[in-house]
Structures are given as C-alpha cells and as structure tokens.
Amino acid sequence: MSAEPQPHRIARWRFALVLSGFVLLLLVVQGRLVMLHTVKQPFLFEQGEQRTVRHEVQPAMRGSITDRHGRPLAVSTPVVTLWLNPQQIDPKRLPELAKALNLPTRTLASRVANAFDKQREFMYLQRQMSPQDAQQVLDLGIAGVYGDEDFRRFYPAAEVTAHLLGIVNIDGQGQEGLELAYNDYLSGRDGARQVVKDLYGNVVQSVQVQQVPRAGDDLRLTMDLRLQYVAYRELKAAVAAHNAKAGAAVLLDARNGDVLALVNQPSYNPNNRATLKPEHMRNRAIADLIEPGSTMKPFTVAAALESGRYRSNSEIDTSPGIIRVKRKAIRDHRNYGVLDITGIITKSSNVGVVKLAHDLGPESIWSFFADAGVGDTTVLGFPGEAVGRLPYPEQLDELRLATVSYGYGLSVTPLQLAQAYTTFTEGGCRLPVHLVMPEQRDPECKRVMSERVARQVVDMMGTVVSERGTGKRARIDGYQAGGKTGTAHKVGESGYEDARYTAVFAGVAPISDPELVLVVVVDDPQGQEYYGGEVAAPVFSRIMSQALRLRQVLPDERDPNWLTTLVAKRGQHEAQ
C-alpha cells in the first residue's frame, strides 16, 4: 500500500516577496496620486483647461452705408469660415470632405499633408461660405473640421456705386473709396468669449463673455441712389456709343453742394472680383485731372464783369477770328466779328476771352480762378483725390495767360469743376461739397463774385443751349438749362495730339432758379463726333431731364421767347 502525496506548500520567503511587491506598488500608486493632487495639480488643471476651454473672437458687424433716403448701398451679411486641424483629420475621410467642398481630392490631400508635415494645427478650408452650405459640411461630423462665424460685405447696387463706396478685403478692412476713408468709423469692435468645446469643436458650454462686440457706425451719404442709376446708365451708353476710353459725371445740389450722383466708366462689380481689372477701379471723377477747355470761359467773363470794366453788352472785336500771341495762332471756329460779352459765351470765342484776359492781367485772372477753387482740392478726404493745377501769376506770360483764359494750361477734376460752377448758382459763393450727410450745415461760403455778376453769367450760359449756341443738344424739354461746352486736345508724349480729345459739358438747371449742377466728361471719343456739344451735351440733357423730374422740380413755363426774356432780365440786372 503506497503512501499518500503531501500537498505543495509555498515557501514563506516567496509569499513575503510577492506581498512586499504588491505593497510597494500600492505605495507607488498612492504616492503618485498624492503628487498629482498636490505638486502637479496646478499644471494639470492648466493643461486640462487648454484642451477644453477656448477663447473665441466674436467679429463685430461692419456699419452699413446708405444713400440720403436710407437705401442700403453696403451691408454686411453673416457667413461661416471653415477650417481644419491637420493633426486631427482622418485621411480616410478626405475624399468625402473634398466632395462636400467641391474640391479635387488630390488638391485637398496635398494641402493637408503639407500642413501636417509642418506641424500646423490650423488650415483654411473655405472662407465666407453661406451658413447653409457650411452647415452641410459640418454635419458630416468629420473630426478636425470647424466653423467660425464671420461677416461678408455686399453691395446691392454693384458696379453703379463701386467707385464711390470702394471695397473691403476678405478680413473686412476698407481698401478703396469711402470704405477706406471711413474704415475706423465703420469697423466697430470685436467681442470675445470663453467657451468649453468637445473633441469635435462643438461648443458644450459658454463660460463667460469677456467683451461684447460693438457693431460699427452707419454712414449716410448725400448721394441719391435713383439719380446715381440714371447718371450711370446714361454715361455708360454714351461711352459705348462713341467708343470712348472712359467717362465721368458729377451731379451736385446747387443749393448746398451735396453730391447727388458720382459715376465713372469703365466700372467693376465689387461683389465678384474674379475678372477685376485694376485700371477699372480708378475714380476718375475725383482722381483724374483734365484740362476743362472752354468750360472755363464763364469764369474769365465773370472776372471781366466783376472788375467793373465791362458790362454784359460791352463789345469786343474778334475779327478776323484769329489772334497771334508769341507766334502762336489762337483761332475761333470762324470769324464772328464784333461780339458783346454774352456773344463771347454763346459762340465760345477764344479770341474774345483772350482779349479780356490780356486786359485784366494775370493777377486778376489768377485771383478769380483761385477763389473759384481752380487748382485746389474739395477737402473731402477721399482717398486718391487729385489736387488741381493753376499756374501762379508770375508764370502767366502773355501766351500762358491766353491759354488759361479758355481752359488750357490748368487742370481740375470733374468734381472740382462742378464745385466751381456752384459759384454761379448761389449768388457768387463757392459751396463746400459733401459726400457724407453733415450733421449741420455751414452757413458760410467762399465769396467769389457779386450776386449780380453770377446772375448775369447764368443768363449768358442759357444762350449756349439755344439754337444759336454751341450746346443746343443740351436743351431739356420743359426746363430752361444753361451751361458751357468744352473740347480739349489730349496731351500725348510729344505734346497736344490733333486727333484725341476730351469732351466736356458743365451746366445748371433750371436757370431761373438753379437746382442742380452737372458736369459730364467723355474721355477720348472715337469717330466723327468729338466736340463737347456733340458728345457730352446730350448726356447732360438726358441726366438732367430725369434728375429734375425725380426731384419733382416744377417745369418752367413754355415761353417760346425765353431767350428774349433772359436778355430783358440781364438789362434789369445791369440797371441795378
């Protein structure tokens, strides 16, 4: 009978070793927990906060721009900017993301890989998406894809107001026009908040608002959008009809200097910059200088009347239709013989104004032109506004004085020329011009001439649009308008060019009580018609006609003998 096996017993030393190991491990874990909750607790708390709590910038809405009647010209609309963290994105989901964004998968994968290799944690996917389209992408639930709220600038009138308003960049900062000039005023102040986000970037909890966003201030312009559309349409049609290089038109309120319309050709669409050409962004009405040509003759005549040496019926012998000054022949269109002062304006006689200017002298002509604003700025603060040029008296020898008298050898912008013409509508005072609606009107203005002389010159300009004048195409049915044509040779590399012109018409309406001042410039018209009376005068007529009716200006009485009436009125002013 065999003996029973004895049970295996664990050696005491082995049991003690294992137990000691467990005790030691427990002490290590306990020590680690104590250290984490004491020594490293602040560090771990900070790291945890960085991984969950985020500080978000809340963009402020940019102030809107409206016309004088509150019609929106520039507004900001909510959009969403999508971005991703290349360190979190799953490469397997890139094709799905690319399809949602309408991007080639290879292009997106290459961008993500490049950002991942550079250890970047931020990469734009698409900026300024509509909230609906952005939400469709976010609903895919792709880790690492996020969306931030933003605003995009929109211009309801598009190319019609582009040159005046300008544009903003993708970050909402003004780059051109009034958007640039009033950028700080329109921008507002961004807000900030502290939020808790989950792994997918979703906001779990809003901790606190650190700064409330403040929207930018709104800007109200003096411009009337209805008149802006009218002026833009007519100018665009004229530039196309004459195959001209460019054009500009400025419409002012003759009573206070408000800019009611300011348009340029060619233009651009600020809402779609895919085909934007930099040369189309020039605000030619403010930034480009022109030689105004014969539109300056009313100022030479006004200077002569203001001197007291001449009256409106004073006669000047312009025979034989040519005058030589320093071996240069200055000609009229034909020999007009003896003309009175009114006739010099009606027939646009170069010889007549040259004789007046030589009699008055350079000091008188320079002083009068400078008071009218020639060679000065309009002090609008508009970015890129050009400064006009007027030679000083010591620079005005006989020849240069002669050319200045009929609008050569000096330069103005279309806006500056329009402002100068307000001296004839407000009793001899040059009005300050406004693009932004002023809080209060400045009652003072720059006195240039007497009210009597201003009235006389306006009446004279009325004869220009008569059948015997040079601007008969500027006539307006139902209203009596007045103005002056101008045709100036353009300057090329070797001086004035014979076959290139700037066609100008500057005028007021109605002349019985001027309500509006309008300047039209057509640059380098091609074809058989190039005179200001042929090219710019019809544009003046169409714009002014619609503007007067839109502003509900009562028509003049249809007097077939209105020219005779003007002459009679002029005689009354002379008697006074």
Side-chain angles (χ1 to χ4, degrees), residues 507-559:
V508 304
I511 59 173
S512 57
D513 187 14
E515 177 95 8
L516 300 172
V517 173
L518 175 61
V519 170
V520 177
V521 178
V522 180
D523 184 19
D524 201 10
Q526 306 295 313
Q528 296 181 346
E529 293 184 332
Y530 54 85
Y531 286 112
E534 297 172 329
V535 177
V539 185
F540 172 91
S541 175
R542 292 192 292 269
I543 295 176
M544 187 66 83
S545 173
Q546 297 174 73
L548 290 171
R549 289 173 172 80
L550 284 172
R551 286 176 63 87
Q552 300 181 352
V553 179
L554 293 176
D556 295 312
E557 294 183 7
R558 299 304 300 273
D559 180 7

Side-chain angles (χ1 to χ4, degrees), residues 169-340:
N169 61 16
I170 198 167
D171 294 317
Q173 297 300 304
Q175 300 296 295
E176 294 284 344
L178 292 175
E179 292 278 27
L180 174 59
Y182 288 87
N183 184 62
D184 293 341
Y185 183 82
L186 293 165
S187 291
R189 183 187 64 194
D190 289 341
R193 65 173 181 171
Q194 194 176 41
V195 297
V196 177
K197 289 187 175 183
D198 61 13
L199 178 63
Y200 298 101
N202 300 312
V203 176
V204 177
Q205 179 185 0
S206 179
V207 179
Q208 65 175 338
V209 175
Q210 296 170 317
Q211 183 170 285
V212 177
R214 183 182 65 81
D217 295 312
D218 296 335
L219 197 64
R220 183 183 172 206
L221 306 186
T222 60
M223 184 248 285
D224 188 328
L225 186 57
R226 302 171 304 167
L227 304 183
Q228 183 81 359
Y229 270 112
V230 168
Y232 181 82
R233 180 180 64 243
E234 298 299 342
L235 180 68
K236 183 176 182 179
V239 169
H242 295 280
N243 194 26
K245 176 183 176 182
V250 179
L251 181 68
L252 299 184
D253 189 320
R255 303 180 189 277
N256 55 30
D258 285 352
V259 177
L260 300 176
L262 190 150
V263 296
N264 295 271
Q265 276 294 308
S267 188
Y268 65 98
N269 184 356
N271 299 316
N272 181 10
R273 306 176 195 178
T275 59
L276 178 62
K277 296 180 179 180
E279 61 269 23
H280 290 179
M281 298 179 69
R282 286 189 63 81
N283 191 332
R284 301 174 187 274
I286 293 179
D288 280 8
L289 293 172
I290 62 168
E291 287 187 312
S294 295
T295 56
M296 293 306 299
K297 289 176 181 175
F299 296 94
T300 303
V301 167
L305 296 174
E306 187 70 14
S307 71
R309 300 184 188 182
Y310 298 90
R311 301 166 68 90
S312 61
N313 58 358
S314 299
E315 294 183 340
I316 302 294
D317 186 3
T318 65
S319 298
I322 183 173
I323 184 173
R324 292 191 176 275
V325 181
K326 283 191 171 183
R327 296 183 299 178
K328 177 177 175 60
I330 298 173
R331 304 173 183 273
D332 282 341
H333 187 65
R334 64 178 178 83
N335 182 9
Y336 295 116
V338 177
L339 293 173
D340 62 8

Side-chain angles (χ1 to χ4, degrees), residues 64-73 219-221 223 225:
S64 61
I65 303 177
T66 66
D67 80 341
R68 66 189 300 117
H69 300 297
R71 300 182 184 92
L73 304 176
L219 197 64
R220 183 183 172 206
L221 306 186
M223 184 248 285
L225 186 57

Side-chain angles (χ1 to χ4, degrees), residues 389-409:
R389 184 171 61 87
L390 176 66
Y392 289 107
E394 55 269 21
Q395 299 173 306
L396 294 175
D397 58 14
E398 282 192 351
L399 179 56
R400 204 162 187 185
L401 178 60
T403 58
V404 164
S405 70
Y406 55 84
Y408 278 83

Side-chain angles (χ1 to χ4, degrees), residues 83-159:
W83 61 279
L84 66 80
N85 186 338
Q87 309 301 322
Q88 297 176 352
I89 193 74
D90 183 358
K92 295 180 180 179
R93 303 204 66 180
L94 286 180
E96 184 182 1
L97 179 60
K99 182 179 179 181
L101 293 172
N102 196 25
L103 293 173
T105 302
R106 182 176 299 179
T107 301
L108 179 60
S110 175
R111 290 177 55 199
V112 173
N114 184 53
F116 181 85
D117 292 341
K118 295 181 179 179
Q119 298 184 345
R120 293 177 180 172
E121 297 184 353
F122 180 91
M123 187 189 87
Y124 280 118
L125 285 175
Q126 190 166 330
R127 302 191 68 177
Q128 298 187 345
M129 294 182 66
S130 68
Q132 296 83 0
D133 293 342
Q135 191 59 46
Q136 290 179 2
V137 177
L138 294 173
D139 288 343
L140 297 175
I142 300 176
V145 177
Y146 306 96
D148 291 337
E149 296 178 354
D150 202 353
F151 292 98
R152 180 181 180 181
R153 204 65 163 166
F154 179 70
Y155 303 92
E159 63 184 35

Side-chain angles (χ1 to χ4, degrees), residues 5-11 14:
Q6 295 295 323
H8 180 71
R9 294 183 179 181
I10 300 175
R14 290 184 177 180

